[in-house]
Amino acid sequence: DADVTQTPRNRITKTGKRIMLECSQTKGHDRMYWYRQDPGLGLRLIYYSFDVKDINKGEISDGYSVSRQAQAKFSLSLESAIPNQTALYFCATSDPRGSNTEAFFGQGTRLTVV
Amino acid sequence: EDKVVQSPLSLVVHEGDTVTLNCSYEVTNFRSLLWYKQEKKAPTFLFMLTSSGIEKKSGRLSSILDKKELFSILNITATQTGDSAVYLCARNHGSSNTGKLIFGQGTTLQVKP
């Protein structure tokens, strides 16, 4: 079983619809992140959370919201999806203990907004 | 500007060739630089570099960081078709241990038989 699990893996939705992408992890990490990947742009940070009560905007948070329901769960919502939110979305976790800042990624959710 | 730039953006080689992928950045105060390999979906971790001039090796892959010249390279020797992937370079955002990463655009490597 994957340590970081994203659902759904693929989703097609219509413009204006609300959609939620879910992420759960079994790594026991406090820190969780949502990134989106677009061709030629690498991964960009949308939101991040250092614990259940801590939510922070990343580089491209407009049009998105998040909820940290528990240490292991971090969901990303698009309140009113638009076509330029078509992308590959990744959830990631990291462990602040020790000196490593390596991020562990889920398998990704490919979202298409039509 | 706070950017990570990778070059080349794409590369096609034949099995057995050696490749060097480049990653340059623009700030001096950060905790570590990381390399990831992305084959189909999830990026998988390759290396974390924190000190300048110390090479990290894993099989046919190696990487080194030059903090004075603000770049890192990833070398792959005796390439195989299984090395075909997107290689991502990322650095930590700032010097603290936030785990936030700033990624380059990625280099797409295709290794032909």
Side-chain angles (χ1 to χ4, degrees):
Chain A
D1 287 342
D3 293 320
V4 184
T5 302
Q6 293 182 231
T7 55
R9 297 287 302 275
N10 291 282
R11 180 73 184 267
I12 300 174
T13 192
K14 292 184 177 180
T15 297
K17 293 291 188 181
R18 183 180 188 275
I19 183 168
M20 178 182 288
L21 309 183
E22 299 188 345
C23 176
S24 62
Q25 53 116 344
T26 58
K27 299 191 75 66
H29 291 168
D30 286 328
R31 297 180 175 181
M32 298 187 74
Y33 312 81
W34 275 104
Y35 289 88
R36 69 175 274 177
Q37 185 176 30
D38 299 277
L41 292 178
L43 278 75
R44 293 179 292 166
L45 184 63
I46 306 172
Y47 269 95
Y48 61 103
S49 169
F50 285 173
D51 64 38
V52 175
K53 296 179 182 179
D54 180 81
I55 302 289
N56 303 279
K57 292 183 177 181
E59 179 187 357
I60 52 165
S61 59
D62 288 348
Y64 302 94
S65 62
V66 291
S67 174
R68 185 80 184 267
Q69 300 96 325
Q71 190 222 26
K73 294 184 182 295
F74 191 36
S75 60
L76 176 72
S77 293
L78 287 68
E79 296 300 326
S80 180
I82 55 176
N84 76 1
Q85 291 176 313
T86 293
L88 185 56
Y89 289 85
F90 287 104
C91 174
T93 73
S94 72
D95 185 356
R97 295 166 292 182
S99 60
N100 287 340
T101 53
E102 170 192 354
F104 298 86
F105 288 86
Q107 292 297 305
T109 295
R110 185 168 296 282
L111 176 66
T112 303
V113 183
V114 297
Chain B
E1 190 177 350
D2 193 6
K3 287 173 65 175
V4 176
V5 178
Q6 293 185 242
S7 63
L9 294 181
S10 64
L11 189 58
V12 180
V13 300
H14 288 91
E15 275 193 315
D17 289 348
T18 293
V19 298
T20 298
L21 309 183
N22 302 290
C23 175
S24 64
Y25 52 90
E26 298 176 344
V27 298
T28 57
N29 191 22
F30 66 94
R31 192 177 184 92
S32 57
L33 186 136
L34 300 91
W35 284 95
Y36 285 84
K37 178 181 182 182
Q38 184 178 23
E39 291 181 81
K40 292 193 176 177
K41 282 284 185 81
T44 54
F45 174 76
L46 293 175
F47 297 110
M48 177 183 294
L49 304 161
T50 55
S51 300
S52 194
I54 298 176
E55 185 183 51
K56 293 269 183 100
K57 283 180 71 73
S58 176
R60 295 175 294 100
L61 277 67
S62 64
S63 185
I64 197 164
L65 177 65
D66 186 327
K67 284 191 169 183
K68 182 179 178 183
E69 300 297 330
L70 308 183
F71 77 91
S72 174
I73 60 172
L74 175 68
N75 276 320
I76 309 175
T77 59
T79 52
Q80 302 171 357
T81 55
D83 295 327
S84 297
V86 176
Y87 290 84
L88 298 166
C89 170
R91 67 161 185 80
N92 292 118
H93 183 271
S95 60
S96 59
N97 187 9
T98 65
K100 292 163 55 181
L101 298 174
I102 299 173
F103 283 85
Q105 322 95 301
T107 293
T108 301
L109 173 65
Q110 181 184 358
V111 181
K112 292 186 173 182

